[in-house]
Amino acid sequence: MPESKSKLLIPVVGATVVVAGSLAAYMYLRGPAGDSSGALGSAKLVPSTALMATYITTDPQAWDKLKQFGTPEAQKLIAKNLEDFNKQISKDGDISYEKDIKPWVGGVMVAMLPPNAAKPAQFNTTTPGTIPPIASQPEPQILMVVGIKDKISALNFGNKLKAQKGVKSQDIDYKGEKITETKPASGQPTYSAVLNNSYIVFSPEKAPVERAIDTYKGQASFATKEGANSILSKGAEVKNSLAQIYIPDYPGMVKQLLAASPQASQINPQTLKQLEQVKSMVAAVGVDDAGIRLKAVANLDPQLNKFQYQSTPSTILGQFPADTFALISGQGISRGWSTIVEQSQDYPEFKQALEQVRAQTKLVNIDLDKDIFGWMDKEFAFGAIPSNQGILASVGFGGAWVLDTSDRKTAEATLTKLDTLAKAQQINISTRKIGGKDVTEWQIPQQGALLAHGWLDEDTLFLAVGGPIAETLANSKTQTLDNSNNFKAIAGSLQKPNGGYFYLDMDRTMTLVNRFAQQTQQPIPPEANAILSSIRGLSMTANSPDKSSSQVEMLLALKPSTAK
């Protein structure tokens, strides 16, 4: 994802997390009640202009599922944070989540509405020597729709809130509906309205509440927006859904947010065109026996989608040892490179940089397109493997790149050119037999092999950082990664077929992280260590059944609870 898009989406997601995060965190331990079937009903009160919406379920079965995970230290930490949150709620009064909020709250939908149009700064004639005020950039508006499952409890909470010390409230009539403005002793006012005695609409600004009332009285809603109804009703399939995110018009959302951004003029028009590939998107987070799972489905425009998806057989995983702690695999580097080259025509600066790299490799008689990327046409994987031997003793691990090719002749010619270049730099090149395979090593005096390469079979090449890693790959006498219990627990439940894996074994990774922390005398804080120790690993994959859709699945594999 381009950096500009990444910077744009961070505040979008952040806004949703800030508004709904506290409620979601409390549900983890306290187990509120409700169900996840209210997304469509809540969406009928959200204006059709909404850019995206997130629905958080309050189904106790879904949230209780989280209790089966985590070390005692992690659960104590979460319990303490939630206790602090509860104290913050009742700091200025006697509001209790358990008694006053939990009994009546159903599902919660958080919608992001377009920002208000920027208003020019109003000021008198500027006095000489003074700086005129700077107009602030408009921000997206937030609207919350909270389901009411116990009307009496909700009414009691509203009355109790109004009676809080220092809280002032007034009712404002809007088209026959009552909007309540609540002003705390300190801070900004908030606005809310009860609609049909079934929902409370809430916002830090009055305008979103007014728009919700307009929608309630018949104006177009998010539920009727083109593309929204289908993703609202279908969603992304996960067990024990905690939250669903709906973006029915992805290009429209990005364009409206860019229109309010001061950096909008800096974005290449071709980048905006790329965004049009994604028509809509839906994502879901749920909990199952393996941990927390996220699935996202994007509907694509097949006419604009230039990416040629290929599923991988995943046989390359069998070339890595079971103790591999990090891995990325995929298919067809050459095809991906061709797509990048084609799209570089639309980006002059990137095209210029690409031509410069090509020119540099030509100086050493290497064709970047043919000699480097051209023969990488099959499955590949990058992996990190622990080792305390030889040149790797100081860092504790080495790296390996294993890839299949249908053009061994070109691959061998390229490796020969690279070996020749290394010799010119006074690096000693030697060859030896490991496990019956010829392995070429780049030797560093007094330290051993820095790099090594060889063929595991007729069309499978490996390149290793560190001689010990080359020995591990060439000997192939140990259990393989794909047959290991850790890989099966962390990545084995991901969708198949797929385009490759991202895999991270947290325990083995943390062993190295703690080692570096000790060396630098900067230990990991106990709070962070408690959370990380509850994670078994992280995995992710993607597939594309056709050119009109793409699916991503991610699993945060958690360790079972050991609490007594």
Side-chain angles (χ1 to χ4, degrees):
M1 178 180 290
E3 184 179 359
S4 58
K5 290 169 63 181
S6 174
K7 289 181 178 178
L8 173 66
L9 291 179
I10 288 174
V12 171
V13 176
T16 302
V17 171
V18 168
V19 174
S22 295
L23 176 62
Y26 211 99
M27 291 172 187
Y28 166 70
L29 204 63
R30 298 299 188 187
D35 60 62
S36 60
S37 62
L40 191 56
S42 298
K44 293 177 181 178
L45 298 178
V46 175
S48 62
T49 55
L51 306 178
M52 66 178 292
T54 298
Y55 184 80
I56 303 171
T57 181
T58 54
D59 182 352
Q61 285 187 320
W63 290 96
D64 284 350
K65 190 75 175 174
L66 280 172
K67 296 178 183 177
Q68 71 183 32
F69 300 110
T71 62
E73 293 79 11
Q75 291 186 343
K76 288 178 182 178
L77 176 63
I78 293 174
K80 181 182 182 302
N81 288 337
L82 295 178
E83 182 180 351
D84 292 343
F85 168 67
N86 200 25
K87 288 180 180 178
Q88 183 67 27
I89 289 179
S90 56
K91 181 175 64 174
D92 299 322
D94 59 349
I95 297 294
S96 164
Y97 175 85
E98 193 73 20
K99 296 179 180 178
D100 301 313
I101 301 176
K102 173 183 171 181
W104 63 268
V105 170
V108 179
M109 176 164 279
V110 183
M112 184 176 70
L113 277 60
N116 281 328
K119 297 180 180 179
Q122 301 292 326
F123 49 89
N124 298 325
T125 303
T126 305
T127 304
T130 63
I131 301 175
I134 299 174
S136 60
Q137 294 297 326
E139 297 180 354
Q141 298 179 314
I142 299 299
L143 174 70
M144 293 182 67
V145 180
V146 182
I148 300 174
K149 64 185 182 68
D150 186 329
K151 297 178 177 61
I152 295 178
S153 296
L155 179 62
N156 290 337
F157 170 72
N159 293 332
K160 191 172 185 178
L161 189 62
K162 290 179 181 180
Q164 292 294 298
K165 183 178 180 181
V167 174
K168 298 180 180 179
S169 65
Q170 66 169 334
D171 293 336
I172 305 169
D173 181 78
Y174 181 78
K175 297 184 178 180
E177 300 294 334
K178 183 175 67 177
I179 297 177
T180 301
E181 179 189 65
T182 305
K183 293 182 178 180
S186 60
Q188 298 299 314
T190 58
Y191 301 86
S192 62
V194 178
L195 301 180
N196 198 33
N197 289 324
S198 299
Y199 295 93
I200 292 180
V201 291
F202 170 89
S203 178
E205 302 174 74
K206 185 170 67 170
V209 177
E210 292 176 341
R211 300 292 80 77
I213 292 174
D214 292 339
T215 305
Y216 170 64
K217 290 185 174 294
Q219 289 193 13
S221 72
F222 190 75
T224 60
K225 188 172 185 174
E226 183 178 358
N229 190 274
S230 60
I231 62 175
L232 280 165
S233 56
K234 184 177 180 182
E237 297 179 2
V238 294
K239 293 181 179 179
N240 302 302
S241 175
L242 304 178
Q244 299 261 353
I245 302 172
Y246 309 96
I247 306 176
D249 181 8
Y250 182 78
M253 178 190 76
V254 175
K255 287 177 181 178
Q256 289 205 50
L257 293 174
L258 285 175
S261 170
Q263 288 82 30
S265 60
Q266 304 173 15
I267 298 177
N268 190 305
Q270 296 300 327
T271 300
L272 294 177
K273 187 176 181 180
Q274 291 287 323
L275 298 176
E276 295 178 1
Q277 292 184 30
V278 181
K279 297 167 66 177
S280 65
M281 185 183 301
V282 59
V285 179
V287 187
D288 55 38
D289 292 337
I292 300 175
R293 193 177 303 270
L294 179 146
K295 287 186 179 181
V297 180
N299 296 314
L300 310 176
D301 186 332
Q303 302 300 320
L304 298 177
N305 180 17
K306 296 181 179 181
F307 177 73
Q308 297 293 320
Y309 168 82
Q310 288 180 294
S311 62
T312 64
S314 297
T315 55
I316 205 85
L317 303 179
Q319 304 289 0
F320 286 82
D323 60 352
T324 302
F325 64 88
L327 178 133
I328 297 176
S329 68
Q331 177 88 5
I333 292 177
S334 60
R335 188 184 292 259
W337 175 251
S338 296
T339 301
I340 291 173
V341 171
E342 179 183 352
Q343 294 185 346
S344 72
Q345 305 303 313
D346 297 328
Y347 300 87
E349 292 182 359
F350 181 72
K351 181 181 179 182
Q352 182 181 5
L354 181 60
E355 292 300 335
Q356 290 176 347
V357 175
R358 281 177 171 151
Q360 291 297 317
T361 57
K362 281 287 187 184
L363 294 176
V364 291
N365 194 32
I366 291 178
D367 185 314
L368 183 66
D369 301 278
K370 178 184 175 182
D371 297 335
I372 300 297
F373 294 107
W375 51 272
M376 300 179 184
D377 57 348
K378 290 189 175 182
E379 190 176 10
F380 69 90
F382 300 92
I385 304 168
S387 176
N388 292 305
Q389 304 299 314
I391 200 170
L392 302 177
S394 60
V395 294
F397 72 98
W401 183 19
V402 181
L403 64 163
D404 292 336
T405 178
S406 63
D407 188 0
R408 176 166 176 164
K409 182 178 179 181
T410 301
E412 287 183 329
T414 299
L415 291 171
T416 298
K417 290 179 181 181
L418 293 174
D419 290 342
T420 302
L421 285 173
K423 287 180 182 178
Q425 301 299 318
Q426 309 303 314
I427 296 176
N428 181 36
I429 307 297
S430 62
T431 302
R432 64 182 176 123
K433 288 276 188 181
I434 303 178
K437 303 173 182 69
D438 293 325
V439 177
T440 301
E441 297 180 326
W442 295 13
Q443 296 281 345
I444 303 296
Q446 310 297 323
Q447 298 184 53
L450 173 64
L451 295 171
H453 60 80
W455 294 87
L456 298 175
D457 54 42
E458 284 301 311
D459 60 2
T460 304
L461 170 70
F462 78 86
L463 296 95
V465 178
I469 303 301
E471 293 179 6
T472 298
L473 294 174
N475 278 320
S476 62
K477 293 181 180 179
T478 60
Q479 184 187 30
T480 60
L481 176 63
D482 54 337
N483 287 324
S484 68
N485 290 334
N486 279 3
F487 185 85
K488 291 177 180 178
I490 298 170
S493 61
L494 295 179
Q495 56 192 346
K496 300 181 185 69
N498 57 58
Y501 290 96
F502 170 82
Y503 165 80
L504 182 69
D505 183 324
M506 187 60 73
D507 278 343
R508 290 192 168 100
T509 300
M510 288 307 299
T511 298
L512 292 169
V513 171
N514 287 324
R515 173 177 172 173
F516 292 138
Q518 291 177 358
Q519 292 174 352
T520 58
Q521 296 184 343
Q522 294 180 337
I524 299 174
E527 295 82 2
N529 191 61
I531 297 298
L532 293 172
S533 297
S534 295
I535 301 173
R536 186 164 190 177
L538 176 68
S539 62
M540 183 169 64
T541 191
N543 72 5
S544 183
D546 51 59
K547 293 201 69 174
S548 63
S549 65
S550 181
Q551 302 173 2
V552 175
E553 182 177 4
M554 182 174 70
L555 173 66
L556 182 66
L558 301 175
K559 296 176 183 177
S561 172
T562 55
K564 299 296 184 181

